[in-house]
Amino acid sequence: MTSLSEKTWYEVEEMKNKKVIIPIGSIEQHGPHLPLCTDSLLVERIAEEVGERTDCLVTPTICFGISEEHMDFKGTLTLSQDSFKGMVFDICTSLQRHGFSRQYIINYHGGNKKYLIELIPKIKEMGIDVSLHRVLGRLGKFDHAGEVETSLMFYLFPERVRKDKIERFQYKIPEGNGWRTKDYSETGVIGDAIDASAGRGKQYFDKIVNELVDEIQNDQYR
Ligand SMILES: [Zn+2]
C-alpha cells in the first residue's frame, strides 16, 4: 500500500527515507461525456501504479489546478496562481519536515505546468530534491477529452463515461498561449473521442506508467 494518507503516523515514522510522489490534476470541463474530475482520477490511478512499482509513497492527489482556459464551461474550478503555488509548496515542505526530501511531482494538467516550472526552484531552495514529471505530454498529441483521455477513461473508469454523448465533435487545435477553449470547441472537446477504446487506453496507460517508472528508477526527468 503506497498511500501516505492511509498510514498511521507510527507507520510513517518507519519510512523516513522513502521517496514520495505528489500527483496533481484539475477540476475542469471535459466535454459532454467525461466528468470534471477526469484529470484528477487519471493521475491518481497512474501515481498509484507508479508508486507500487517504484516503492514510493503517494500523497493524496492535489485535485485543483489552474484551469482559467476552461472557465467558460460550467463547473470548472480554478485556483489563482498564488493559491496553487502556495498549496504545492506547503505540501512539499511538510513532507520535507518529516524527512521526505526526494519528491516527484506528477502533473497531469497542462495548464499547471508553467506555474510548476516557476515554483520548482523555490522548492529546491528549501533543500528539497524535487522533479517534475508530465503525463499526456509524452504521447505527442494534443488531447482534451478526445481520443486519448476518453480511451484512458474507458480503460480505467468505464462506468464514468457517458457513452451515448460521444460523437464526432468539431474542434480546432489551439495555438500559442493564453487561449480559451471556447474559441476552439463548442463542446469543450479538443480531439476525436469517437475513436477512443479501452484497448487504446491500456496502451497509453502502460506507456505512461512504464516511462514514469523508468524516470523514477533512474532518477531522471523529462
Ligand atoms: Zn483532461
Side-chain angles (χ1 to χ4, degrees):
M1 190 181 68
T2 60
S3 168
L4 170 77
S5 60
E6 294 290 337
K7 302 208 178 295
T8 68
W9 79 264
Y10 284 87
E11 290 161 354
V12 174
E13 189 164 61
E14 288 163 15
M15 298 181 170
K16 269 191 184 127
N17 293 320
K18 266 210 198 273
K19 298 171 175 181
V20 184
I21 292 170
I22 304 158
I24 307 183
S26 74
I27 302 293
E28 64 185 28
Q29 73 81 17
H30 275 75
H33 62 298
L34 298 179
L36 296 160
C37 60
T38 293
D39 290 359
S40 296
L41 281 177
L42 291 176
V43 76
E44 186 157 280
R45 186 66 205 93
I46 288 163
E48 279 168 8
E49 186 72 21
V50 174
E52 286 290 343
R53 286 178 46 188
T54 55
D55 196 30
C56 288
L57 276 171
V58 181
T59 68
T61 298
I62 299 179
C63 69
F64 302 107
I66 299 186
S67 301
E68 183 56 42
E69 70 275 22
H70 296 291
M71 283 299 283
D72 299 301
F73 299 85
K74 298 289 179 214
T76 300
L77 304 177
T78 189
L79 297 180
S80 68
Q81 51 165 306
D82 285 351
S83 300
F84 178 71
K85 286 178 176 171
M87 179 157 58
V88 176
F89 182 86
D90 289 348
I91 290 168
C92 292
T93 50
S94 295
L95 288 165
Q96 187 207 29
R97 287 169 65 184
H98 300 305
F100 302 114
S101 54
R102 183 63 182 109
Q103 302 172 9
Y104 305 89
I105 294 174
I106 298 183
N107 174 50
Y108 186 99
H109 171 51
N112 299 336
K113 184 177 156 195
K114 171 175 183 277
Y115 305 100
L116 289 167
I117 289 171
E118 287 171 9
L119 179 64
I120 293 274
K122 294 199 178 76
I123 300 174
K124 287 190 168 174
E125 269 172 28
M126 304 302 289
I128 298 167
D129 186 13
V130 63
S131 55
L132 178 61
H133 302 260
R134 61 188 175 157
V135 179
L136 294 192
R138 68 184 64 242
L139 299 176
K141 42 179 147 178
F142 189 97
D143 187 276
H144 184 77
E147 185 261 317
V148 173
E149 285 194 302
T150 308
S151 293
L152 285 165
M153 289 296 283
F154 268 137
Y155 175 50
L156 297 169
F157 303 101
E159 70 289 353
R160 285 161 144 121
V161 182
R162 281 63 155 178
K163 298 181 186 65
D164 58 325
K165 303 282 193 217
I166 299 177
E167 55 183 79
R168 181 71 65 189
F169 300 112
Q170 299 299 310
Y171 67 93
K172 288 182 279 181
I173 303 281
E175 283 176 31
N177 298 317
W179 49 269
R180 298 196 75 81
T181 311
K182 76 171 172 42
D183 297 332
Y184 295 87
S185 166
E186 212 169 285
T187 59
V189 178
I190 303 174
D192 294 314
I194 204 158
D195 299 330
S197 69
R200 288 186 180 198
K202 179 175 174 10
Q203 284 175 17
Y204 294 137
F205 181 77
D206 289 347
K207 176 176 166 60
I208 291 163
V209 168
N210 287 339
E211 288 188 8
L212 284 166
V213 166
D214 211 41
E215 285 167 23
I216 288 175
Q217 279 172 344
N218 294 306
D219 235 3
Q220 291 170 344
Y221 63 96
R222 292 178 206 175

